[in-house]
Structure formats: C-alpha cells, structure tokens
Amino acid sequence: MYTVREFAARAGVTVRALHHYDELGLLKPLRKPQTGYRLYRDPDFARLEQIVVLKFLGIPLKEMRPLLTAPRASNLRQALRRQQRVLAEKRTQLDTALAAIERAEQALTQTDAPDWNVFTQVVKEIEMHNETEWTKKYYSDKAKAKVEARRQEWTPELQERVTRQWTELIADIEVALAKKENPKGAAGQALAARWQQLLAGFTGGDPEIQQGLNRMWADKPNWPEGEAKSFHIPAAVTDFIVAALTRT
Amino acid sequence: MYTVREFAARAGVTVRALHHYDELGLLKPLRKPQTGYRLYRDPDFARLEQIVVLKFLGIPLKEMRPLLTAPRASNLRQALRRQQRVLAEKRTQLDTALAAIERAEQALTQTDAPDWNVFTQVVKEIEMHNETEWTKKYYSDKAKAKVEARRQEWTPELQERVTRQWTELIADIEVALAKKENPKGAAGQALAARWQQLLAGFTGGDPEIQQGLNRMWADKPNWPEGEAKSFHIPAAVTDFIVAALTRT
DNA sequence: CATACCTTGACGGTGCGTTAGCGTAA
DNA sequence: GTTACGCTAACGCACCGTCAAGGTAT
C-alpha cells in the first residue's frame, strides 16, 4: 500500500501524472474510505509500467486501455506495427527537415543576407517529394504527370471538403449496411452514384489515372499510415459499392 | 490584391491558418476600410513563404517574428543551428523507440501472451542509455557509477524542486547583478553559499563527481539542447559566482 | 432575394505542469 | 498548532480545425 507520492517516487513519474491516469481511467487505485486518498498496490505498479512503456513508444494515452487489459498479444502487436509506421514516417519527416537545414546553412554561408529563395525552393522540393512519393509507384508515367497537374490546382481547403465528402459518404453507406439495404435498390444505386461522382472529381474521368488508382487500392494493405488520416474504408463498405456497381 | 481565400489558395495554406498568423502578428495584411476584410499583397506572399518554411523546420510560430524581420542572417543561422540540435535529438528519440518496438516484436513472436517484462526492461535500458549518454564522457568511471547511484534516488519531483531552486538562485543572482552588488560583500557571499549548497546536493561532496562536473561545464558550448530545458545560466551569473568564490 | 464570402469569437485535442483553495495526517 | 501531504478544479501550452452568429458582395 503506497500513497500517491510514494508510488510516484517508486515508479519515477510525477504525482500529477498519476492523477491524470486516474482521470483517464487508465490506472484507478483503491481509495481510502473516508478521505478519498489514493492507495496504490503492487499490481498497480505493473500496470503503470506498461503505461509508461506504451507512452515511450508514442502511443496516445487514450488508446491504451484496450491494450492494457488484453489477455492476448494480438491487438498489442497490431498496435505496435501501426505505431512503427507512424514513427517511421515521423522520422523521415525529421530527416527531410534536417536535410533542408543543412542545405540552407550551406546557402547561408555564402551570402550574409538570408536567401529565402534557395531556401523555400529546397523545402518545396522536399515536401513534394515526400507527399507524392508513396503513391508514385502505382501510376504510369503519363498518369503521374496528370495527377501532378491536378495536385497543383488543389487548395488545401478543397482537399478538406473532398475528404469530408468521402467520410460522409462512407458514413452513409455504413448506415445503409446497418439497414441491410440492397445495393441494387434505389438507395444503393444513389450511394454508388455519389461514389462515382467523387471518384470522377479526382480522376477527371481520365482512364490512366483510374488505372493507377485501381492498382493503388489493390495494394491497400501496404499503404503507409501517417498522421494524415488516410481515410479508413471498411471492407464491408467497398464490398457494398462493388455489389452496387457490377451489372447483373 | 487578394482576398483571404484567393491568397490561401495561391499559397497552399488554409484560411484559418492565415487568420491565425494574423492574430499572432506574424502576417498582418491590409484591411479594407469599411468592412475590415483582409487584403493580401505580393510582399505578404514572400513573408508567408518564409513562415511556411520555418514551420516546416519545426520552429514554433511564436519565435518566428524576430527571424522574419531580421535584416541579417546571423540570428537566423543561430536559430537554425538550435533547431538542428532539437530535431536531431528528437530523431534519436524516435530511433530508440523504433528499436524498442522491434525488439519487443521479436519477444512477442515467441510467446502469445504479452511479455511485459522483457518489454519494460528494453525500454528502461534504452531510456537510461539516452539520458546519461551525453553526460557520460565527462566523468571518470568511478564517478559515473556514483552519479548513477545518485540518479536512482532522484524522484522526478525532487528533480523539479532542485531545478526550481536553481532557477530561483539564478534569478536572485541576476537581481544582485542589476544592483551592482559586490560579489565579495555579504549578499554576494550568501548567494555563493546557496550555490555551493545546491552543488553539494548533486555531488554529495564527492570530489570525483565534482571533477566530472567541472569538465562538463568547461565544455558547455557543446551541450545538446533538447526539449529538456537544460537551464541556461548567463555568463554574467557564473562570473559573479566565480568572483565570489575565489579567494582574494 | 439568394448565395458565396467575409468577420470575430470560442471550444477542442495531447499530456500533463502549475497554481489555488481547502481537508487531513503526524 | 504547525507542517507536510492529500484532494479536486481549472487554466495554460501549439497550431490550427471546426462550428456559430452575423455582416457584405454580387
């Protein structure tokens, strides 16, 4: 039986952190009857260690609960793999930033006034490089050029709106699934039409781009999974759309 | 002359971001007389690009203003170097986390139940390694062991308290400096005494540790500068203490 | 008149640090 | 009684995303 302070000292965390974990329901100690004082015991120690480890690995506190109580390792391993990808992407981010700084320093040693042009060029290059890199391999050269051309016209806000439209559509489809709606019915066809609309917004009706997209989706399990929430489309949803679009 | 939306589209940022930069005083556009509408012009574009670049490099928005208006490159280069160190440290952090995940996965492939022991061990190892690594080179082997032993007893809260005591002391010394207090006077001696007290709290009066510390401070310009605020002690302060402690 | 775009608040999210005000244990 | 420790509540930080309520341009 430890008090907060003792327990915190033993575990190498602060009292405030323990309060926080308690609030989040991650680690709820016993309470002394009248006073409400927290009372920690040995099993709590093990659990806290697990929390600390997961935090060290960069896993958000809010996602930890299921991992801590899971009796089997499968979801833990899943989480680790996800986290691995997230961290890896962050690292390449960092690497590019570092590279940019180095290049910029070189440029700065030559002139006394900051040469923002060189500077911004470097960064832009790198940014583009990163963003498009992972999708590249799916497109033919001609398709790449076309996609690139479209990118130029995309404002980030347009991006947002489109993303929202997709998520809304997916939500609607999930509702339809829950209602056991028939893909061939009117409602199903309407959803499929919205789907194709959105898709056309990206491909511009270009078959080469469509091809590339197809390849990309076929390889979905291997997508990177960065901070940019590449929207997760449940398999059931795509199945529904496929069913709606295939002619009988 | 662009409206927010146009300008945002041209620059590849969101309208909200522009609002935000405006609020922070980073990029204040003209305003249309009656309506208060924001009006951006070409010079604003250049400035925005600079902001975007610095953000890409991970520099906090609040620190950007002086860098943007600085006519000469010197403080920009300073900032870049600082940022380089910060990023580099973050990267090693990431690397260790990634390494930990890999090791953990290996451990997990063998058992089905999560083996938290192996797991926490790995992380602890690595954490220690990191924390002490950069100070290591200043200490003799014997001193290292002693410092390590002391570390074990330090709770993070004790850490905090000590840190605060140092910052308070430093603040007090700066006040004394402002008053042009004499280091040899009573006030100066009192401050020096507090200094030695705090130091003794770390060294435990051990000469080997003291030696290592001396070497470390002598090498101060080369310290890493992570997120962990290694307290910055102005040169004037150390000078004051040195003057107070050297026997006449 | 409708519609698209502008404005200024203000809340939310991440992981706690940091007062602040107020009971409790030794 | 004093002092050290416990509790909850609430703000703060970084960078905007995301409504919301209400004017303006076309």
Side-chain angles (χ1 to χ4, degrees), chain B residues 83-97:
Chain B
Q83 189 59 14
Q84 201 170 23
R85 291 221 289 253
V86 172
L87 294 184
E89 254 182 73
K90 278 192 189 173
R91 207 184 46 163
T92 67
Q93 266 281 41
L94 279 179
D95 283 341
T96 57

Side-chain angles (χ1 to χ4, degrees), chain A residues 85-178:
Chain A
R85 291 221 289 253
V86 172
L87 293 183
E89 255 183 70
K90 277 194 188 170
R91 205 184 54 155
T92 68
Q93 265 282 43
L94 278 179
D95 281 341
T96 58
L98 280 167
I101 288 183
E102 271 179 39
R103 284 222 244 164
E105 289 213 327
Q106 286 181 4
L108 282 178
T109 53
Q110 299 174 7
T111 61
D112 187 35
D115 186 347
W116 289 99
N117 284 336
V118 175
F119 218 172
T120 56
Q121 267 326 100
V122 172
V123 170
K124 276 187 200 166
E125 247 174 60
I126 294 177
E127 259 180 339
M128 285 222 165
H129 187 64
N130 276 350
E131 273 183 34
T132 59
E133 196 172 29
W134 77 272
T135 55
K136 258 187 200 165
K137 58 173 179 281
Y138 302 108
Y139 295 104
S140 71
D141 284 347
K142 269 183 280 181
K144 259 186 259 181
K146 290 178 187 170
V147 169
E148 198 49 47
R150 290 197 168 277
R151 283 197 88 89
Q152 302 292 344
E153 301 164 6
W154 278 23
T155 70
E157 309 214 311
L158 180 55
Q159 267 276 25
E160 273 175 41
R161 231 170 309 170
V162 171
T163 302
R164 185 163 19 173
Q165 286 178 28
W166 274 107
T167 54
E168 280 170 10
L169 174 55
I170 289 164
D172 290 349
I173 294 175
E174 287 186 309
V175 169
L177 281 168

Side-chain angles (χ1 to χ4, degrees), chain A residues 138 210-223:
Chain A
Y138 302 108
Q210 181 65 55
Q211 279 264 335
L213 261 186
N214 291 344
R215 273 196 287 276
M216 204 170 108
W217 278 90
D219 192 41
K220 190 177 177 226
N222 297 321
W223 290 6

Side-chain angles (χ1 to χ4, degrees), chain B residues 76 147 196:
Chain B
L76 178 60
V147 169
Q196 290 200 299

Side-chain angles (χ1 to χ4, degrees), chain A:
Chain A
M1 294 286 223
Y2 309 98
T3 68
V4 251
R5 190 164 299 270
E6 290 163 357
F7 191 70
R10 213 166 278 269
V13 304
T14 66
V15 171
R16 180 63 177 98
L18 291 176
H19 284 172
H20 193 55
Y21 301 154
D22 191 355
E23 285 168 17
L24 295 185
L26 274 182
L27 179 60
K28 286 185 150 321
L30 285 182
R31 295 294 193 135
K32 203 171 164 189
Q34 303 303 323
T35 63
Y37 283 18
R38 273 166 258 255
L39 289 176
Y40 291 86
R41 296 181 304 170
D42 284 338
D44 296 325
F45 190 78
R47 189 168 170 114
L48 178 57
E49 269 190 326
Q50 297 172 12
I51 294 173
V52 171
V53 168
L54 293 180
K55 191 166 82 69
F56 177 82
L57 298 180
I59 293 180
L61 294 179
K62 299 210 168 169
E63 295 173 16
M64 284 186 191
R65 218 167 332 166
L67 301 179
L68 292 172
T69 54
R72 307 241 148 246
S74 66
N75 21 20
L76 178 59
R77 290 174 64 178
Q78 244 187 51
L80 288 186
R81 252 190 271 288
R82 261 210 310 275
Q83 188 59 15
Q84 200 171 24
R85 291 221 289 253
V86 172
L87 293 183
E89 255 183 70
K90 277 194 188 170
R91 205 184 54 155
T92 68
Q93 265 282 43
L94 278 179
D95 281 341
T96 58
L98 280 167
I101 288 183
E102 271 179 39
R103 284 222 244 164
E105 289 213 327
Q106 286 181 4
L108 282 178
T109 53
Q110 299 174 7
T111 61
D112 187 35
D115 186 347
W116 289 99
N117 284 336
V118 175
F119 218 172
T120 56
Q121 267 326 100
V122 172
V123 170
K124 276 187 200 166
E125 247 174 60
I126 294 177
E127 259 180 339
M128 285 222 165
H129 187 64
N130 276 350
E131 273 183 34
T132 59
E133 196 172 29
W134 77 272
T135 55
K136 258 187 200 165
K137 58 173 179 281
Y138 302 108
Y139 295 104
S140 71
D141 284 347
K142 269 183 280 181
K144 259 186 259 181
K146 290 178 187 170
V147 169
E148 198 49 47
R150 290 197 168 277
R151 283 197 88 89
Q152 302 292 344
E153 301 164 6
W154 278 23
T155 70
E157 309 214 311
L158 180 55
Q159 267 276 25
E160 273 175 41
R161 231 170 309 170
V162 171
T163 302
R164 185 163 19 173
Q165 286 178 28
W166 274 107
T167 54
E168 280 170 10
L169 174 55
I170 289 164
D172 290 349
I173 294 175
E174 287 186 309
V175 169
L177 281 168
K179 288 191 195 163
K180 310 221 183 255
E181 204 81 65
N182 181 359
K184 293 297 186 190
Q189 292 298 309
L191 289 170
R194 279 171 64 193
W195 182 280
Q196 290 201 298
Q197 277 276 335
L198 280 175
L199 215 54
F202 178 69
T203 64
D206 188 299
E208 300 220 47
I209 295 179
Q210 181 65 55
Q211 279 264 335
L213 261 186
N214 291 344
R215 273 196 287 276
M216 204 170 108
W217 278 90
D219 192 41
K220 190 177 177 226
N222 297 321
W223 290 6
E225 175 169 7
E227 322 214 53
K229 49 211 161 184
S230 50
F231 35 81
H232 304 288
I233 304 188
V237 168
T238 53
D239 291 349
F240 182 93
I241 291 298
V242 169
L245 290 178
T246 51
R247 307 188 182 283
T248 41

